[in-house]
Amino acid sequence: MKRVAPRKSSAATARERLASWISARGLKATRQRDLIVDTFFSQTGHLSVDELLDKVTARDPSIGAATVYRTMKILTDAGLASARHFEGGQTRYEAALDRHHHDHLICTSCGSILEFENERIEELQDRVAEQHGFAVTHHKLELYGLCKRCQEKDEYFRKRFPDPR
Amino acid sequence: MKRVAPRKSSAATARERLASWISARGLKATRQRDLIVDTFFSQTGHLSVDELLDKVTARDPSIGAATVYRTMKILTDAGLASARHFEGGQTRYEAALDRHHHDHLICTSCGSILEFENERIEELQDRVAEQHGFAVTHHKLELYGLCKRCQEKDEYFRKRFPDPR
DNA sequence: ATCGAGATTGAGAATCAATTTCAAAATGAA
DNA sequence: TTCATTTTGAAATTGATTCTCAATCTCGAT
């Protein structure tokens, strides 16, 4: 019989880590924090505070936006989430539990986000920084354009409704 | 006798190009637009609207912020300036006259910005996009950290005021 | 030079994401 | 239980940017 090693859900792990991070600096555990963290880690992808707030208030309508903002800040400081500032104004958060660094491909039509890693690019970046005497702490590489699906959609419409001119 | 080919200032060129772009779509030339464009192209670097507004109102205090915002948008649409959204909230504009694409090194301490080009990185980006079936329209590569000068300053202070512990 | 449709302006209001304020409620060590 | 401290939700505030609108300006046609 095949056995899968018992594996804690990432939400559970995150809650534990957050707990120690919180008590380590005299903060306090609260019901709303737990609910927000739980909700956040049960999602995947890159959530805006708005989107997260929606899911959270679905579970407990009394929770306010400010608390979600505050909690995501804590999660970020604790290294359990990372904040991304893509084009379009609002901050998006993604889980950062034992995750490698990675960059993003962002579809400007449907908003979908793909992730990728590329060691060669990272190396070249380091070299560039070195050449300029820069000590890099973090970086941002984002490729914007049309995802495959949106390209196909585009093509389809162009065929059916050719540019009248 | 050596003769240097007469060369128009980039500000002059920009004004010309803007003029044709503007008349081509039924817009109108105005005194404040000219002044803003002139001021913008007489500067170098990456200006925020605030910084530009300061320089502009120094020349004509009656010009409002909204007009500067509007003008920079036109300049961007005309391809004569490009908008950058570095960390820290406000949009910064840089002249885009006959400029190659380039990326940025941004010092998080003093705010200075270095530019660089790297063909190899661009190629690798294209390859990544291709692998994911993405049609990239633009991208953003920003390296954040400490510039040489700020590293040296840091070092200096650490020597004189070693971490007491 | 004058006219007039339409574009532009400046000031202030509005918006949007995010942060701060503050009084009331919750937490947790003693 | 007590009580200093932290947290919360709602509302106010901030900061960047955009919008609104009445007054003004521009420019091609007279």
Side-chain angles (χ1 to χ4, degrees), chain B residues 6 12 30 41 46 50 61 92 101 141 144 152:
Chain B
T30 70
F41 282 103
H46 303 73
D50 245 31
R92 289 182 173 276
H101 167 78
L141 172 54
Y144 293 88
E152 284 159 3

Side-chain angles (χ1 to χ4, degrees), chain A residues 27-28 30 32-33 63 67 70:
Chain A
L27 304 184
K28 287 172 180 174
T30 70
Q32 7 317 56
R33 237 117 85 160
I63 291 183
T67 303
R70 290 188 277 234

Side-chain angles (χ1 to χ4, degrees), chain A residues 11-154:
Chain A
T13 313
R15 256 168 85 160
E16 268 176 35
R17 289 220 214 154
L18 184 64
S20 58
W21 198 88
I22 273 185
S23 71
R25 54 211 79 206
L27 304 184
K28 287 172 180 174
T30 70
R31 179 179 54 80
Q32 7 317 56
R33 237 117 85 160
D34 284 344
L35 176 51
I36 293 166
V37 172
D38 244 38
T39 307
F40 175 68
F41 282 103
S42 73
Q43 301 291 128
T44 59
H46 304 73
L47 284 193
S48 68
V49 171
D50 247 30
E51 291 163 354
L52 180 55
L53 179 61
D54 280 351
K55 316 251 181 221
V56 165
T57 47
R59 292 222 239 166
D60 178 346
S62 75
I63 291 183
T67 303
V68 177
Y69 276 105
R70 290 188 277 234
T71 303
M72 291 317 294
K73 190 170 286 299
I74 291 177
L75 230 34
T76 304
D77 291 345
L80 296 170
S82 50
R84 305 281 180 179
H85 307 272
F86 300 130
E87 291 184 355
Q90 76 242 292
T91 303
R92 289 182 173 276
Y93 292 90
E94 63 176 324
L97 262 171
D98 309 315
R99 291 220 50 188
H100 254 213
H101 167 77
H102 59 265
D103 297 307
H104 297 89
L105 281 155
I106 299 127
C107 179
T108 48
S109 175
C110 69
S112 68
I113 299 172
L114 290 183
E115 303 178 350
F116 69 90
E117 282 179 55
N118 190 302
E119 193 50 46
R120 282 293 291 133
I121 292 181
E122 307 281 320
E123 281 166 20
L124 289 168
Q125 285 175 15
D126 289 346
R127 192 162 323 154
V128 167
E130 196 185 335
Q131 281 163 7
H132 290 82
F134 241 78
V136 171
T137 54
H138 61 290
H139 73 257
K140 183 181 288 188
L141 171 55
E142 292 155 15
L143 310 182
Y144 293 88
L146 291 184
C147 69
K148 201 179 239 167
R149 181 196 301 278
C150 286
Q151 289 170 56
E152 283 159 4
K153 226 179 287 174
D154 255 29

Side-chain angles (χ1 to χ4, degrees), chain B residues 118-143:
Chain B
N118 190 302
E119 194 50 47
R120 281 294 290 134
I121 292 181
E122 307 280 319
E123 281 166 20
L124 289 169
Q125 286 175 15
D126 289 346
R127 190 160 325 154
V128 167
E130 197 185 333
Q131 280 163 6
H132 290 81
F134 240 79
V136 171
T137 54
H138 62 289
H139 72 257
K140 183 181 287 188
L141 172 54
E142 292 155 15
L143 310 183

Side-chain angles (χ1 to χ4, degrees), chain B residues 12-142:
Chain B
T13 313
R15 257 169 83 160
E16 268 176 35
R17 289 221 215 153
L18 184 63
S20 58
W21 198 88
I22 273 184
S23 72
R25 54 210 80 206
L27 305 184
K28 289 172 179 173
T30 70
R31 180 178 54 79
Q32 21 294 71
R33 237 114 91 156
D34 285 344
L35 175 51
I36 293 166
V37 172
D38 245 38
T39 307
F40 176 68
F41 282 103
S42 73
Q43 301 291 130
T44 58
H46 303 73
L47 284 192
S48 68
V49 171
D50 245 31
E51 290 163 355
L52 180 55
L53 179 61
D54 280 352
K55 316 248 182 223
V56 165
T57 47
R59 291 221 239 166
D60 178 346
S62 75
I63 292 182
T67 303
V68 177
Y69 275 104
R70 290 188 277 236
T71 303
M72 291 318 294
K73 189 171 287 298
I74 291 177
L75 230 34
T76 304
D77 291 345
L80 297 169
S82 50
R84 306 281 180 178
H85 307 273
F86 300 130
E87 292 183 355
Q90 76 241 295
T91 302
R92 289 182 173 276
Y93 291 90
E94 63 176 324
L97 262 170
D98 309 315
R99 291 220 52 189
H100 254 212
H101 167 78
H102 58 265
D103 297 306
H104 297 89
L105 282 155
I106 299 127
C107 179
T108 47
S109 173
C110 69
S112 68
I113 299 172
L114 290 182
E115 303 178 350
F116 69 90
E117 281 179 55
N118 190 302
E119 194 50 47
R120 281 294 290 134
I121 292 181
E122 307 280 319
E123 281 166 20
L124 289 169
Q125 286 175 15
D126 289 346
R127 190 160 325 154
V128 167
E130 197 185 333
Q131 280 163 6
H132 290 81
F134 240 79
V136 171
T137 54
H138 62 289
H139 72 257
K140 183 181 287 188
L141 172 54
E142 292 155 15

